[in-house]
Amino acid sequence: MKITKAWLFAFAAATAFITSGHAALAEELSIMASGGAWQDAQRKAWFEPFSKETGIKIVEQEYLGDLGKVKAMVDTGNVPIDLVTVETATVLQGCDAGILERLDYSKIAPREKFIEGSALDCGVGLDAYGDVLAYDPNVLKEAPTSVLDIFDTTKFPGKRAMRKFPAQNLEWALMADGVAPADVYEVLATPEGVDRAFKKLDTIKQDIVWWDAGAQPPQLLASKEVVMTTAWNGRIQNAIDKDGAPFKIVWNNQILEYDMIAIPKGAKNPELAYKYLAYISQPEINAKLASYITYGPVRIDAASFVAPDALPKLPNAPDHMTAYLVADTEFWGDYGEDLVKRFNAWLAQ
């Protein structure tokens, strides 16, 4: 066969195409998050800009935040995801159980650059959010003034919604029963304190509609199935800003938490995962999420990059921090498994 310049050119082009095709296939990063407005915000603030800058394709998956799903992947050795968003209440459990990888912060950012409690061994913070109370003033003529008003069925009769999970509910139950916020975790660490929290929840159990996914609270309010609901602040603010919903947020006695992201044990692309973590941990990039959903940045030096119109809506805005509780990740790491079992047993009663 006669090898011409044209043949060599065609062969080189084909080889380049095949090689680039294989490279493109290899450059995929699978992220599993909890869906809804929050995942939409991540897509706009982080997923799409990251892909545009690096050429790495983000493959999205969704779940309800159940660590058991990640554990099943790890236990079977079939881990189709590279990163998973997790809550502060479950990060330490996943770390202790060997479900999540211990992070190398030299590949991300210095730990001291993050808000205290948002850079853990097995999870790095994405944002700060508030567990709040929300209601529709067209339904409730008298405005609640605290998240703890969810326990007042005399002043605020009707169905109310709470997340189907012990974290937050047990803390609020103790505060509603007179425990000072500073003492909540000390009391909840005792058998008597746990009994006290569940006894308080008993007082409204028949009036509770349980929600699992963050998209449900605004839907429950919109359908008037409930008169009030606990919620993640960003989901309610999103309904107000994007859908024109008439809802109001009650910040008093909010619980401040951090959304985290982790690498599951056995992830196939850990280096790509670290590349993404380093990208979103830059202060100017971390701050971008607040433009799409009202969750605050976790980088200490990111506040100046937050859009001015978003600042007053953040859970850690000064006006929202007069009465609050910071979720104790160590407590839930130590006691979470037992309290989840107790909570599920209580639900079944």
Side-chain angles (χ1 to χ4, degrees):
M1 182 179 78
K2 185 178 180 181
I3 299 177
T4 65
K5 288 183 179 180
W7 186 92
L8 286 171
F9 178 80
F11 178 78
T15 302
F17 177 80
I18 293 169
T19 303
S20 65
H22 281 297
L25 287 174
E27 297 289 281
E28 285 190 353
L29 182 68
S30 179
I31 302 178
M32 187 165 72
S34 56
W38 183 55
Q39 191 155 330
D40 290 342
Q42 290 182 81
R43 185 178 308 113
K44 294 170 185 173
W46 297 333
F47 295 170
E48 291 174 353
F50 174 78
S51 292
K52 185 176 181 180
E53 182 174 312
T54 65
I56 298 169
K57 181 182 177 182
I58 300 289
V59 178
E60 297 182 46
Q61 296 190 43
E62 293 185 18
Y63 81 134
L64 293 175
D66 178 17
L67 195 62
K69 182 171 182 176
V70 184
K71 184 178 186 300
M73 295 176 182
V74 174
D75 286 348
T76 59
N78 180 21
V79 184
I81 56 173
D82 303 304
L83 287 163
V84 59
T85 62
V86 286
E87 296 180 44
T88 50
T90 56
V91 167
L92 294 181
Q93 294 177 50
C95 202
D96 290 343
I99 299 168
L100 304 176
E101 295 280 1
R102 293 187 178 274
L103 298 177
D104 180 355
Y105 277 86
S106 70
K107 298 179 179 180
I108 304 172
R111 290 180 80 159
E112 64 271 15
K113 295 293 186 180
F114 292 87
I115 296 173
E116 184 178 355
S118 67
L120 305 178
D121 287 351
C122 292
V124 62
L126 291 171
D127 59 60
Y129 68 94
D131 300 304
V132 299
L133 185 72
Y135 69 99
D136 184 340
N138 296 320
V139 174
L140 280 183
K141 300 307 179 184
E142 186 173 359
T145 59
S146 164
V147 179
L148 307 183
D149 283 336
I150 201 166
F151 289 92
D152 191 343
T153 55
T154 302
K155 192 173 182 180
F156 304 103
K159 293 290 185 181
R160 54 257 288 125
M162 301 181 85
R163 188 181 176 208
K164 199 174 183 179
F165 196 68
Q168 298 92 54
N169 294 332
L170 297 182
E171 289 98 321
W172 282 323
L174 287 179
M175 286 191 281
D177 202 46
V179 176
D183 299 328
V184 162
Y185 289 109
E186 182 179 347
V187 174
L188 198 54
T190 67
E192 297 79 13
V194 173
D195 290 342
R196 183 176 174 181
F198 278 103
K199 187 176 180 180
K200 188 64 177 178
L201 283 172
D202 278 334
T203 65
I204 60 170
K205 186 177 183 181
Q206 65 181 6
D207 295 308
I208 300 174
V209 174
W210 298 106
W211 59 269
D212 293 295
Q216 290 176 273
Q219 294 168 358
L220 290 168
L221 288 177
S223 66
K224 295 180 171 53
E225 188 175 342
V226 299
V227 299
M228 59 176 66
T229 180
T230 62
W232 299 321
N233 75 283
R235 301 302 181 99
I236 299 299
Q237 193 65 54
N238 186 75
I240 295 170
D241 293 343
K242 305 289 177 63
D243 303 327
F247 308 149
K248 298 289 185 183
I249 295 174
V250 180
W251 296 97
N252 205 26
N253 295 120
Q254 69 160 317
I255 296 178
L256 190 66
E257 295 198 78
Y258 305 118
D259 279 313
M260 316 288 286
I261 190 165
I263 301 175
K265 187 78 76 173
K268 296 178 176 62
N269 298 301
E271 292 309 312
L272 292 185
Y274 274 116
K275 194 169 185 176
Y276 178 79
L277 296 181
Y279 174 80
I280 62 171
S281 295
Q282 298 172 79
E284 65 276 18
I285 303 298
N286 188 228
K288 283 185 177 180
L289 189 73
S291 295
Y292 300 100
I293 194 166
T294 50
Y295 294 155
V298 291
R299 277 288 300 247
I300 294 170
D301 49 355
S304 62
F305 296 101
V306 175
D309 61 333
L311 278 172
K313 300 174 183 178
L314 301 184
N316 44 357
D319 289 348
H320 303 156
M321 298 287 283
T322 54
Y324 67 97
L325 177 70
V326 177
D328 189 326
T329 56
E330 290 190 10
F331 172 87
W332 284 103
D334 292 339
Y335 297 96
E337 187 175 353
D338 290 338
L339 289 175
V340 167
K341 290 178 182 177
R342 173 76 181 267
F343 183 76
N344 289 337
W346 174 79
L347 287 176
Q349 292 173 356

